């Protein structure tokens, strides 16, 4: 994609501030990249009175996201990118029917002006790094001597047991913990988080920043929920981290823009 | 009633006249936005508006995929995806619809720019475009923004506009990037429902529906190509995309149905002023805001 003066034209969905900060951090945006997968998620029903993971649904939700991410990464690799910043991972149910959802990964591919002290910005698998951090967060991270490695995620679709009549009767009118529910929610979240962690370990990350843990009910009814954890795995670029001391300012506007 | 002049209806001409004569200038800017444009050497000269109502009566011969081959029988297991950006694509399928929407969107924008030109502006910041369904097949397209004058400019240049907020325009100008134009790409992709898709949708286990992935991907790819082409008309630079949309709908086609995906990308073209990096802003100042 070349402009008429022989200079590259690129598109990005970064805001102007993000765009300028990414440049400031030593990266040039090279293009908007996206990957998409329309997925038929299928059906799996949990046993009425049992807490259990619905592994087929878990697999489908994970596979669909992975397809979208891989396609986005492939598009970035084709542009010769070192990484992708500001990645958004979206799920949208389409008008074509309830059983179909589009999984979409969208971000801005960037090329570094210089390689980092450790050699390459790409991941251990030779792919561009991915990160869902905003331009501002990305700049701060690089300033502090860290590099994003990759988006890591874990998911778990869980069926929370219905309570039997006897069990419900025994707690009528009293304020007590429903241990069965608590346990189910713990289990499901733990599964999602540990899967995310395993991905970070596979990337040889030092840690994960900006983790979001979501409960997504989708369209399965009240007792089936997807627990989804996502974050950016990071690694240190150098041994000595110097984190700039911030100065205090009082902006004249309300809140972040 | 007085007639249209210079592509503008009488009411718009009257408003331009009033704004020229009056001492007060209107703007859509917030107080921080007004401060930001002032800091970038710009002065508001008035709010500008453009509107075009288009009758989208004929959205094209649907069964677009059908038109390119000899009928569903020959496809067998899978059917092709056609987009309005394909060679000849504007003549079949949803081509007429895409052409009409493109013309209306650019028309509303052009009317807004005509108002700005009449006010002696150099640019328009914070442009917002809308699309609203009136009744029947009438659709209204609007564009509005705040026209600004460059205080340092001596001779009038080409009129620029930006979908970016006033603050963002100021940040861009301060870092050596000048906004040029609003650019956009629009595409509709069409695919006839084929046996493979029906099979993939009916299984109990989860799986990808290849045909639909292809449909959506092609619609977006074509819209992005359109965005790049539109940007090229104004020269080279960087496009900051601020609106990505995808809508889906289906129509009857023979015994089966056609599935359509409409994708659009809208952004602002920025060009680097002077040699690369010449106007780079001073190093970023790290601050810790006291609010929140």
């Amino acid at each position: 994609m070349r402009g008429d003066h022989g200079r590259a034209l690129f598109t990005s969905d970064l805001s102007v501030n993000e765009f300028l900060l990414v440049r400031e951090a030593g990266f040039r945006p090279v293009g908007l990249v996206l990957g998409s997968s329309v997925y038929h998620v299928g059906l799996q029903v949990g046993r009425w009175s049992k807490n259990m993971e619905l592994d087929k649904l878990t697999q489908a939700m994970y596979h669909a996201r992975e397809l979208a991410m891989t396609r986005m990464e492939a598009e970035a690799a084709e542009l010769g990118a070192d990484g992708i910043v500001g990645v958004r991972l979206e799920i949208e149910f389409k008008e074509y029917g309830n059983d179909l959802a589009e999984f979409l990964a969208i971000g801005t591919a960037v090329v570094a002006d210089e390689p980092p002290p450790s050699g390459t910005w790409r991941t251990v698998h030779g792919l561009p790094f991915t990160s869902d951090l905003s331009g501002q967060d990305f700049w701060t991270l690089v300033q502090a001597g860290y590099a994003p490695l990759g988006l890591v995620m874990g998911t778990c679709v869980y069926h929370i047991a219905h309570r039997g009549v006897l069990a419900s009767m025994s707690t009528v009118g009293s304020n007590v913990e429903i241990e069965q529910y608590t346990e189910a929610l713990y289990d499901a979240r733990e599964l999602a988080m540990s899967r995310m962690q395993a991905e970070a370990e596979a990337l040889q990350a030092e840690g994960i920043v900006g983790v979001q843990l979501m409960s997504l009910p989708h369209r399965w009814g009240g007792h089936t929920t997807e627990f989804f954890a996502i974050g950016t795995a990071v690694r240190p670029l150098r041994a000595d981290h110097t984190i700039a001391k911030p100065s205090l300012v009082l902006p004249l506007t309300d809140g972040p823009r | 009633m007085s007639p249209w002049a210079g592509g503008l209806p009488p009411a718009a001409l009257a408003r331009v006249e009033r704004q020229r004569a009056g001492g007060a200038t209107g703007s859509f800017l917030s107080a921080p936005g007004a401060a930001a444009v002032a800091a970038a050497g710009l002065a508001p000269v008035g709010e500008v508006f453009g509107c075009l109502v288009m009758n989208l009566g004929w959205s094209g011969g649907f069964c677009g995929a059908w038109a390119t081959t000899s009928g569903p029988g020959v496809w067998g297991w899978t059917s092709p995806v056609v987009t309005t950006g394909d060679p000849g694509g504007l003549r079949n399928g949803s081509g007429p619809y895409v052409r009409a929407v493109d013309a209306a969107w650019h028309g509303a924008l052009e009317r807004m720019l005509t108002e700005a030109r009449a006010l002696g502006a150099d640019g328009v910041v914070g442009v917002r475009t809308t699309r609203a369904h009136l009744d029947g097949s009438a659709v209204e397209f609007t564009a509005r923004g705040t026209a600004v004058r460059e205080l340092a400019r001596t001779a009038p240049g080409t009129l620029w506009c930006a979908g970016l907020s006033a603050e963002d325009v100021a940040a861009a100008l301060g870092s050596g990037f000048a906004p040029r134009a609003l650019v956009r790409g629009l595409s509709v992709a069409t695919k006839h429902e084929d046996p493979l898709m029906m099979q993939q949708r009916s299984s109990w286990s989860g799986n990808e529906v290849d045909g639909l992935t292809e449909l959506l991907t092609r619609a977006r790819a074509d819209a992005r190509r359109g965005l790049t082409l539109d940007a090229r008309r104004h020269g080279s630079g960087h496009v900051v995309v601020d609106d990505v949309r995808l809508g889906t709908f289906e129509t009857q086609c023979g015994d089966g149905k056609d599935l359509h995906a409409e994708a659009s990308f809208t952004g602002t073209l920025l060009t680097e002023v002077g040699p690369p990096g010449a106007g780079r802003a001073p190093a970023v100042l790290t601050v810790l805001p006291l609010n929140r």
Side-chain angles (χ1 to χ4, degrees):
Chain A
M1 303 215 290
R2 313 291 298 177
D4 52 359
H5 303 306
R7 296 238 311 273
L9 175 112
F10 76 85
T11 52
S12 91
D13 67 343
L14 298 174
S15 74
V16 171
N17 283 346
E18 286 182 290
F19 166 60
L20 294 173
L21 276 172
V22 168
R23 291 275 299 234
E24 184 67 39
F27 287 85
R28 270 179 310 112
V30 288
L32 189 70
V33 286
L34 41 88
S36 161
S37 169
V38 180
Y39 214 89
H40 166 77
V41 176
L43 215 59
Q44 188 181 12
V45 183
R47 290 248 310 275
W48 199 77
S49 61
K50 193 171 181 306
N51 280 334
M52 61 186 285
E53 183 184 6
L54 302 179
D55 57 332
K56 283 206 181 86
L57 293 182
T58 300
Q59 227 161 34
M61 298 303 285
Y62 187 85
H63 184 223
R65 284 194 185 94
E66 207 194 9
L67 281 174
M69 296 257 290
T70 314
R71 283 169 193 162
M72 177 186 70
E73 282 166 12
E75 207 172 284
E78 206 160 295
L79 287 172
D82 288 313
I84 311 170
V85 298
V87 175
R88 286 174 291 137
L89 208 48
E90 287 166 7
I91 305 178
E92 232 177 273
F93 286 84
K94 294 289 168 201
E95 283 80 8
Y96 301 134
N98 257 345
D99 57 323
L100 290 174
E102 186 195 16
F103 294 75
L104 177 69
I106 182 165
T108 297
V110 294
V111 170
D113 295 334
E114 286 165 24
S118 55
T120 174
W121 289 101
R122 292 200 169 199
T123 65
V124 282
H125 307 304
L127 283 169
F129 68 78
T130 48
S131 140
D132 62 351
L133 300 174
S134 69
Q136 285 85 340
D137 279 355
F138 177 70
W139 181 84
T140 315
L141 195 70
V142 173
Q143 283 307 299
Y146 283 95
L149 259 177
L151 266 181
V152 286
M153 58 188 184
T155 184
C156 171
V157 181
Y158 207 85
H159 173 78
I160 297 168
H162 294 255
R163 301 173 68 217
V165 181
L166 278 179
S168 306
M169 289 283 280
S170 67
T171 54
V172 165
S174 55
N175 300 332
V176 291
E177 179 175 12
I178 310 171
E179 281 162 8
Q180 202 184 11
Y181 277 14
T182 309
E183 209 174 289
L185 295 172
Y186 258 100
D187 274 359
R189 286 208 181 90
E190 180 50 33
L191 278 170
M193 302 261 285
S194 59
R195 281 170 192 162
M196 175 181 72
Q197 207 149 354
E199 280 202 351
E201 279 157 16
L203 282 173
Q204 297 162 18
E206 185 186 281
I208 311 172
V209 297
V211 172
Q212 297 173 65
L213 184 59
M214 292 171 263
S215 312
L216 308 165
H218 299 303
R219 296 184 174 182
W220 296 312
H223 279 258
T224 304
T225 305
E226 181 190 21
F227 293 86
F228 182 59
I230 187 165
T232 298
V234 298
R235 66 180 163 125
L237 282 175
R238 16 172 223 272
D240 57 323
H241 300 303
T242 44
I243 296 166
K245 191 172 166 56
S247 347
L248 288 173
V249 292
L250 185 60
L252 293 175
T253 51
D254 284 335
R257 234 179 346 108
Chain B
M1 216 163 103
S2 50
W4 288 44
L8 290 184
L13 295 169
R15 199 158 54 87
V16 168
E17 219 33 67
R18 200 182 63 244
Q19 280 186 326
R20 267 206 204 128
T25 53
S27 90
F28 290 115
L29 303 177
S30 63
V37 291
L42 302 171
V45 292
E47 80 280 4
V48 286
F49 178 77
C51 159
L52 198 156
V53 179
M54 185 68 117
N55 184 40
L56 294 177
W58 188 64
S59 41
F62 281 120
C63 272
W66 198 324
T68 59
T69 57
S70 45
V74 303
W75 296 331
W77 198 234
T78 62
S79 63
V81 172
V82 287
T83 72
T84 47
D86 290 341
L90 279 180
R91 280 191 303 281
N92 56 40
S94 302
Y97 165 81
V98 166
R99 251 185 309 185
V101 170
D102 254 348
W105 188 86
H106 280 107
L109 197 66
E110 195 47 50
R111 282 185 188 160
M112 180 198 78
L113 291 174
T114 308
E115 277 196 26
R117 226 171 261 127
L119 289 174
D122 293 307
V124 184
V125 302
V127 177
R128 287 278 155 272
T129 60
T130 66
R131 169 187 173 154
H133 187 243
L134 300 180
D135 58 338
S137 49
V139 181
E140 183 198 32
F141 293 82
T142 72
R144 63 173 177 86
T146 302
V148 293
R149 202 159 40 82
E150 293 172 15
L151 294 172
R153 178 101 86 179
T154 45
T158 22
L159 184 66
W160 52 265
C161 64
L164 310 169
S165 69
E167 291 93 324
D168 281 349
V169 168
L173 284 171
S175 310
F177 289 96
R180 285 260 66 86
L182 242 62
V183 290
R184 181 166 131 113
L186 174 71
S187 173
V188 176
T190 300
K191 182 184 169 72
H192 192 80
E193 190 168 50
D194 57 36
L196 178 66
M197 267 164 74
M198 290 189 229
Q199 189 224 34
Q200 285 178 335
R201 284 184 66 167
S202 57
S203 68
W204 274 65
S205 63
N207 56 263
E208 185 174 21
V209 183
D210 301 41
L212 287 177
T213 302
E214 191 196 348
L215 178 69
L216 269 46
T217 307
R218 287 281 304 279
R220 286 208 187 87
D222 190 35
R224 288 158 77 192
R225 201 187 49 84
L227 179 80
T228 311
L229 281 179
D230 197 19
R232 284 281 152 69
R233 294 193 302 125
H234 301 275
S236 69
H238 316 306
V239 178
V240 177
V241 175
D242 48 24
D243 190 46
V244 179
R245 275 166 208 269
L246 186 105
T248 51
F249 58 100
E250 50 189 52
T251 52
Q252 202 62 37
C253 171
D255 292 334
K257 54 191 176 184
D258 269 359
L259 305 169
H260 310 270
E262 176 178 343
S264 74
F265 284 75
T266 312
T268 301
L269 178 71
L270 300 176
T271 49
E272 219 159 325
V273 188
R280 283 294 281 279
V284 173
L285 173 71
T286 19
V287 293
L288 181 64
L290 288 179
N291 51 353
R292 280 223 294 179

